[in-house]
Amino acid sequence: MPNKNATKVVYKSPDDVEYFVIANTDMIDKYRKDKSIPLIDVVQTFDIHTTVAGGNTGEYVRPSKGALESAFGTHKPEEIAKYIVEHGEEKGMH
């Protein structure tokens, strides 16, 4: 369960599906400026989420490996979480 300092970092793929990770609010900008910070200090887990409708609200679901491969070129959670934190947008917890 996300803590009160958590936020969603959302990345919209070229096919308009939004993928997100749950991250520690105060660590996102620090990480973007200093990549030596361990990613595990930034994200709460390496779980990648989307929703049934493909947006960032609704029930969280885990996308298939195929969907992740298509959107990110990999299905490795650590690499995808890093990409989302670096290129995504903070949306807050809805």
Side-chain angles (χ1 to χ4, degrees):
M1 196 75 185
N3 69 35
K4 65 180 178 155
N5 294 321
T7 190
K8 285 193 273 190
V9 181
V10 180
Y11 169 76
K12 185 178 262 190
S13 69
D15 58 356
D16 285 336
V17 176
E18 293 186 349
Y19 298 92
F20 57 92
V21 293
I22 307 301
N24 298 311
T25 306
D26 57 342
M27 293 299 293
I28 298 166
D29 284 334
K30 289 178 186 176
Y31 178 79
R32 288 177 176 164
K33 293 174 186 166
D34 180 3
K35 300 293 191 292
S36 70
I37 295 171
L39 190 59
I40 193 63
D41 291 347
V42 181
V43 296
Q44 294 199 352
T45 71
F46 287 107
D47 292 336
I48 311 302
H49 303 282
T50 189
T51 62
V52 175
N56 74 343
T57 59
E59 181 182 350
Y60 296 7
V61 294
R62 290 191 180 164
S64 68
K65 284 184 180 181
L68 294 174
E69 284 279 353
S70 177
F72 298 98
T74 184
H75 65 271
K76 295 179 180 173
E78 296 86 0
E79 292 176 21
I80 296 168
K82 179 180 178 181
Y83 189 88
I84 292 172
V85 170
E86 290 176 356
H87 301 282
E89 179 182 346
E90 290 181 59
K91 296 276 189 164
M93 299 298 291
H94 299 289

